[in-house]
Structures are given as C-alpha cells and as structure tokens.
Amino acid sequence: MAATVYRVEGSRELRRMLRRMSDDNGKAMLAELKGELKQVADVVGNRARANAPRRTGRTVALVRTSATTTKATVSVRLAYAGPVHWGWPSRPNAARGWRGGPIKAHPWISDAATDTELRWLAMYEGALRALIERLPDSA
C-alpha cells in the first residue's frame, strides 16, 4: 500500500542528540516525541474510522494507530482493506473462482490524512518546537 511521507529536516539529528544525552531526560524526551506522534496518528485514525466503509463494520473495528520516534502510522489489519481503499480492476475468472466486478477506490485513510493535515501538522510542529526549546545549550 502506498504511503504519504512528510520529511522533517533535522529530525534525525534531534533524535541522535536525545539518545546521546547522558541523563534520563533524553530518554524521557524521546518517549515524549513518540507520544506526540501517537497523538498525530490518533487524529488521522479517528477521522479514518469515521470515513471507513461500513458494510460489515469490520473495517472500522480494525483501524490501528501506532508510532515510533520516527513515524506515525495508521493501518487496517484486514486482507481486503487495500483493494477497498485503492480500488481493484475487474478480474472475473470462473475457472479460478474469481467473481464480481471492479471495486471502486474509496481512499478513506488518505482522505482522513489530508482532511486533518492542518491540525496534526500544527500539533507535531508545536511539540517539536517545545522539545527543542527544552534542550540544554550544551547539547
């Protein structure tokens, strides 16, 4: 499944600096960064749940959000989520048991990310600024 990627210049150096801090404050700040990214994923995930197709309700129930210190992720743990999200061309083949026609794309996760972009971008930028301001001058 394709992903939308936003690159933050200097984020690798910031994480490296936090890992190299000798006290536990660096680890706490890394955990805080991960928590902020989890909140970003939750903003997008909540909108994705609201926009998800609801034929059976399984799609909504299986939307998951996660984060690391480098990324926020929204995923759906469902085998047919990709074809429903991105669409699927018609491939009927009676000999192989394939039935049905094409699946129209319904990009509810991508739409959720773009719809809430201003909100989560502001959240993440504010968190990064606050984190950088708290860094010691010697770091």
Side-chain angles (χ1 to χ4, degrees):
M1 194 181 280
T4 302
V5 177
Y6 289 84
R7 299 208 186 276
V8 179
E9 291 184 29
S11 64
R12 180 178 292 176
E13 291 80 8
L14 174 64
R15 289 189 309 274
R16 185 179 304 131
M17 186 183 308
L18 292 174
R19 280 193 297 274
R20 289 183 179 169
M21 289 174 67
S22 59
D23 58 357
D24 288 336
N25 195 26
K27 290 180 183 178
M29 291 173 115
L30 272 173
E32 185 178 325
L33 180 62
K34 181 178 176 180
E36 289 296 331
L37 281 168
K38 175 68 167 124
Q39 288 180 358
V40 165
D42 288 341
V43 167
V44 177
N46 289 337
R47 178 62 65 91
R49 284 182 192 96
N51 294 345
R54 297 182 184 270
R55 183 178 289 178
T56 64
R58 290 182 64 202
T59 307
V60 176
L62 295 173
V63 172
R64 300 286 184 255
T65 60
S66 62
T68 66
T69 57
T70 60
K71 65 182 175 180
T73 305
V74 178
S75 60
V76 181
R77 304 283 177 157
L78 199 57
Y80 56 83
V84 171
H85 189 270
W86 299 111
W88 190 263
S90 180
R91 291 191 339 175
N93 184 336
R96 293 193 174 188
W98 297 342
R99 298 182 318 212
I103 298 173
K104 183 180 175 189
H106 186 248
W108 76 94
I109 298 173
S110 299
D111 291 347
T114 56
D115 292 348
T116 60
E117 182 174 5
L118 293 177
R119 182 174 170 208
W120 59 257
L121 208 51
M123 286 173 54
Y124 186 56
E125 182 180 353
L128 282 178
R129 287 186 190 280
L131 193 71
I132 291 169
E133 288 174 3
R134 290 182 16 222
L135 286 175
D137 291 331
S138 62

